[in-house]
Short mmCIF file of all heavy atoms in Angstrom, two decimals:
data_model
loop_
_atom_site.label_atom_id
_atom_site.label_comp_id
_atom_site.label_asym_id
_atom_site.label_seq_id
_atom_site.Cartn_x
_atom_site.Cartn_y
_atom_site.Cartn_z
N THR A 16 95.59 95.19 98.64
CA THR A 16 97.00 95.01 98.29
C THR A 16 97.91 95.58 99.35
O THR A 16 97.54 96.48 100.10
CB THR A 16 97.32 95.68 96.95
OG1 THR A 16 97.04 97.08 97.04
CG2 THR A 16 96.52 95.08 95.82
N GLY A 20 101.67 96.53 96.05
CA GLY A 20 100.62 96.13 95.12
C GLY A 20 100.36 94.64 95.04
O GLY A 20 99.60 94.19 94.20
N PHE A 22 98.96 90.90 96.46
CA PHE A 22 97.87 90.39 97.29
C PHE A 22 97.85 88.87 97.21
O PHE A 22 98.39 88.27 96.30
CB PHE A 22 96.51 90.95 96.86
CG PHE A 22 96.07 90.51 95.50
CD1 PHE A 22 95.28 89.39 95.35
CD2 PHE A 22 96.43 91.23 94.38
CE1 PHE A 22 94.86 88.97 94.10
CE2 PHE A 22 96.01 90.84 93.12
CZ PHE A 22 95.23 89.71 92.98
N LEU A 34 87.61 87.81 88.71
CA LEU A 34 88.33 88.58 89.71
C LEU A 34 88.19 90.06 89.37
O LEU A 34 88.55 90.48 88.27
CB LEU A 34 89.81 88.20 89.71
CG LEU A 34 90.69 89.05 90.63
CD1 LEU A 34 90.40 88.72 92.09
CD2 LEU A 34 92.15 88.82 90.32
N ASP A 35 87.63 90.83 90.28
CA ASP A 35 87.50 92.28 90.11
C ASP A 35 88.53 92.97 90.98
O ASP A 35 88.51 92.82 92.20
CB ASP A 35 86.11 92.78 90.53
CG ASP A 35 85.03 92.40 89.54
OD1 ASP A 35 85.36 92.10 88.39
OD2 ASP A 35 83.85 92.41 89.94
N ALA A 36 89.43 93.69 90.35
CA ALA A 36 90.38 94.54 91.08
C ALA A 36 89.89 95.97 90.90
O ALA A 36 89.67 96.43 89.77
CB ALA A 36 91.78 94.37 90.51
N TRP A 37 89.71 96.68 92.00
CA TRP A 37 89.13 98.02 91.95
C TRP A 37 90.11 99.05 92.47
O TRP A 37 90.81 98.82 93.45
CB TRP A 37 87.85 98.05 92.79
CG TRP A 37 87.22 99.38 92.86
CD1 TRP A 37 86.41 99.95 91.92
CD2 TRP A 37 87.34 100.34 93.91
NE1 TRP A 37 86.03 101.21 92.33
CE2 TRP A 37 86.59 101.47 93.56
CE3 TRP A 37 88.03 100.34 95.12
CZ2 TRP A 37 86.49 102.58 94.37
CZ3 TRP A 37 87.93 101.46 95.92
CH2 TRP A 37 87.17 102.56 95.54
N ASN A 44 89.20 96.49 87.08
CA ASN A 44 89.87 95.63 86.12
C ASN A 44 89.37 94.22 86.41
O ASN A 44 89.57 93.70 87.50
CB ASN A 44 91.39 95.73 86.31
CG ASN A 44 92.18 94.92 85.31
OD1 ASN A 44 91.75 93.87 84.86
ND2 ASN A 44 93.36 95.41 84.98
N ARG A 45 88.69 93.61 85.45
CA ARG A 45 88.13 92.27 85.66
C ARG A 45 88.89 91.26 84.82
O ARG A 45 89.14 91.49 83.64
CB ARG A 45 86.66 92.24 85.29
CG ARG A 45 86.06 90.83 85.38
CD ARG A 45 84.58 90.83 85.17
NE ARG A 45 83.99 91.17 86.46
CZ ARG A 45 82.73 90.95 86.77
NH1 ARG A 45 81.92 90.44 85.89
NH2 ARG A 45 82.27 91.27 87.96
N GLN A 46 89.25 90.14 85.45
CA GLN A 46 89.90 89.04 84.75
C GLN A 46 89.26 87.73 85.19
O GLN A 46 88.84 87.59 86.34
CB GLN A 46 91.39 88.97 85.09
CG GLN A 46 92.20 90.05 84.47
CD GLN A 46 93.69 89.77 84.62
OE1 GLN A 46 94.11 88.65 84.89
NE2 GLN A 46 94.49 90.80 84.44
N THR A 47 89.22 86.79 84.28
CA THR A 47 88.76 85.44 84.62
C THR A 47 89.96 84.65 85.12
O THR A 47 91.02 84.68 84.51
CB THR A 47 88.14 84.75 83.39
OG1 THR A 47 87.04 85.54 82.95
CG2 THR A 47 87.67 83.35 83.74
N VAL A 48 89.77 83.96 86.25
CA VAL A 48 90.84 83.20 86.88
C VAL A 48 90.36 81.77 87.09
O VAL A 48 89.25 81.55 87.59
CB VAL A 48 91.23 83.82 88.24
CG1 VAL A 48 92.32 83.03 88.91
CG2 VAL A 48 91.63 85.27 88.07
N THR A 57 98.87 82.48 89.84
CA THR A 57 99.44 83.83 89.83
C THR A 57 98.82 84.61 88.68
O THR A 57 98.68 84.08 87.57
CB THR A 57 100.97 83.76 89.64
OG1 THR A 57 101.52 82.98 90.70
CG2 THR A 57 101.58 85.14 89.65
N ILE A 58 98.44 85.84 88.95
CA ILE A 58 97.92 86.70 87.89
C ILE A 58 98.63 88.04 87.95
O ILE A 58 99.15 88.44 88.99
CB ILE A 58 96.40 86.92 88.02
CG1 ILE A 58 96.05 87.59 89.34
CG2 ILE A 58 95.64 85.63 87.87
CD1 ILE A 58 94.67 88.14 89.37
N ASP A 59 98.67 88.71 86.84
CA ASP A 59 99.21 90.07 86.76
C ASP A 59 98.07 90.99 86.35
O ASP A 59 97.36 90.71 85.39
CB ASP A 59 100.33 90.15 85.72
CG ASP A 59 101.57 89.38 86.13
OD1 ASP A 59 101.96 89.50 87.30
OD2 ASP A 59 102.12 88.67 85.28
N LEU A 60 97.91 92.07 87.09
CA LEU A 60 96.90 93.08 86.79
C LEU A 60 97.59 94.40 86.48
O LEU A 60 98.53 94.76 87.18
CB LEU A 60 95.97 93.28 87.98
CG LEU A 60 95.10 92.10 88.37
CD1 LEU A 60 94.50 92.35 89.74
CD2 LEU A 60 94.00 91.91 87.36
N GLU A 61 97.10 95.10 85.49
CA GLU A 61 97.62 96.44 85.19
C GLU A 61 96.44 97.39 85.06
O GLU A 61 95.43 97.05 84.48
CB GLU A 61 98.39 96.43 83.86
CG GLU A 61 99.81 96.02 84.01
CD GLU A 61 100.58 96.25 82.72
OE1 GLU A 61 100.44 97.34 82.12
OE2 GLU A 61 101.30 95.34 82.34
N PHE A 62 96.62 98.56 85.59
CA PHE A 62 95.66 99.63 85.43
C PHE A 62 96.30 100.75 84.62
O PHE A 62 97.50 100.99 84.76
CB PHE A 62 95.24 100.21 86.79
CG PHE A 62 94.25 99.38 87.54
CD1 PHE A 62 94.66 98.43 88.42
CD2 PHE A 62 92.89 99.58 87.35
CE1 PHE A 62 93.75 97.67 89.14
CE2 PHE A 62 91.96 98.82 88.03
CZ PHE A 62 92.40 97.87 88.94
N SER A 63 95.50 101.41 83.84
CA SER A 63 95.96 102.64 83.19
C SER A 63 94.80 103.62 83.24
O SER A 63 93.65 103.24 83.48
CB SER A 63 96.40 102.38 81.75
OG SER A 63 95.29 102.00 80.96
N ASP A 66 91.46 102.83 81.57
CA ASP A 66 90.64 101.68 81.98
C ASP A 66 89.29 102.05 82.58
O ASP A 66 88.46 101.20 82.77
CB ASP A 66 91.39 100.83 83.01
CG ASP A 66 92.55 100.06 82.40
OD1 ASP A 66 92.59 99.94 81.16
OD2 ASP A 66 93.42 99.61 83.15
#
Side-chain angles (χ1 to χ4, degrees):
T16 59
F22 66 92
L34 174 71
D35 287 340
W37 177 81
N44 183 327
R45 175 174 277 197
Q46 287 191 18
T47 301
V48 179
T57 302
I58 61 165
D59 292 315
L60 295 167
E61 275 189 46
F62 282 91
S63 67
D66 288 344

